[in-house]
Amino acid sequence: MSTPVFWIVIPAAGVGSRMGADKPKQYLELAGRTVIERTLDCFLGHPRIAGIVVAISADDPFWPVLECAADPRIVRAPGGRERVDSVRSALDLLLPSAAPADWVLVHDAARPLLAGDDLQRLIDALQDDPVGGILATPARDTMKRVDGSGAIDCTVDRSTLWHALTPQMFRFGLLRECLARAAEAGWTLTDEASAIEAAGMHPRVVEGRADNLKITRPEDMLYAQWLLSQRT
């Protein structure tokens, strides 16, 4: 039996409407480079990564002009309407190359600050796990459940709550099967772990750094720039 290898999938077909920018957030400039270029850099130097699939919208005018678009280690897949559609498209593209037992790490295109130590910790912790899991951070703030009118319903015990991050790492065959099953059932998924959970399995959490920031709003860019400045 061959040793499983590791593939990266980056869904990057979103428009990032909450940023209010003139282009999708993954193409905004972050300290001299685009967000997605910095995201890709998190993986390109890792010796165990066999390849990267980036799911891009068919009419995306920004990706083709980036230098990384010509990198032979990166393959473009058709992006979908929703994140899960883009992930499934990327997995379909990998089908001729990836074995069922290979690992797939799905990572947000707008999460450019993944630390190398976190990536290695995730791989080391899960490479022999039967299910897989995700990077996450424990909830630090007091958590409130709010009703439909915007009023606090109750305070939630935060001791068992974690913030889900990416990458999320699962076997290629298992993830593809669970995502297909979720699509057939019409389930709404916000991450890959949700599909695994819906199939009755229990992904593990691997604690990661809280500065693995997902850029969503304009103020996130300022924070990301500051975080980058602290790493150099």
Side-chain angles (χ1 to χ4, degrees), residues 209-223:
R209 290 171 51 151
D211 61 0
N212 183 3
L213 174 71
K214 183 178 181 181
I215 294 172
T216 305
R217 299 182 182 277
E219 59 267 28
D220 296 332
M221 288 293 290
L222 296 175
Y223 186 35

Side-chain angles (χ1 to χ4, degrees), residues 6-207:
F6 298 80
W7 304 91
I8 305 300
V9 165
I10 299 180
V15 297
S17 57
R18 281 178 287 182
M19 285 295 295
D22 61 353
K23 62 183 69 173
K25 59 189 175 183
Q26 60 266 29
Y27 298 117
L28 297 177
E29 184 178 306
L30 178 60
R33 307 187 69 207
T34 62
V35 169
I36 196 168
E37 286 176 302
R38 291 197 173 277
T39 298
L40 289 165
D41 283 346
C42 297
F43 303 100
L44 285 170
H46 197 285
R48 299 192 68 181
I49 302 303
I52 301 174
V53 181
V54 182
I56 305 288
S57 296
D59 58 352
D60 186 323
F62 304 104
W63 172 259
V65 302
L66 296 180
E67 185 177 345
C68 58
D71 192 312
R73 297 168 292 180
I74 303 171
V75 179
R76 175 176 175 171
R81 180 177 178 180
E82 303 292 341
R83 172 196 173 93
V84 64
D85 301 318
S86 292
V87 173
R88 292 188 68 197
S89 174
L91 296 179
D92 287 346
L93 191 70
L94 279 174
L95 192 56
S97 304
D102 283 354
W103 288 105
V104 175
L105 286 77
V106 183
H107 188 66
D108 298 323
R111 208 180 280 273
L113 299 175
L114 171 67
D117 288 348
D118 273 10
L119 174 59
Q120 191 59 54
R121 187 180 304 109
L122 183 73
I123 290 173
D124 291 343
L126 299 179
Q127 60 184 339
D128 297 319
D129 192 85
V131 176
I134 69 172
L135 277 181
T137 57
R140 299 178 179 181
D141 302 314
T142 300
M143 307 299 290
K144 304 290 187 180
R145 178 175 288 115
V146 178
D147 64 21
S149 68
I152 294 173
D153 179 61
C154 65
T155 300
V156 180
D157 178 13
R158 70 182 181 192
S159 64
T160 60
L161 298 180
W162 289 66
H163 295 283
L165 309 175
T166 66
Q168 302 200 352
M169 175 174 153
F170 299 103
R171 301 280 185 182
F172 173 79
L174 175 65
L175 181 58
R176 192 165 180 269
E177 176 186 343
C178 289
L179 290 178
R181 189 183 306 172
E184 290 172 3
W187 296 328
T188 300
L189 302 177
T190 56
D191 68 354
E192 291 66 49
S194 299
I196 306 297
E197 296 161 35
M201 287 168 276
H202 301 280
R204 289 175 55 194
V205 295
V206 177
E207 185 168 356

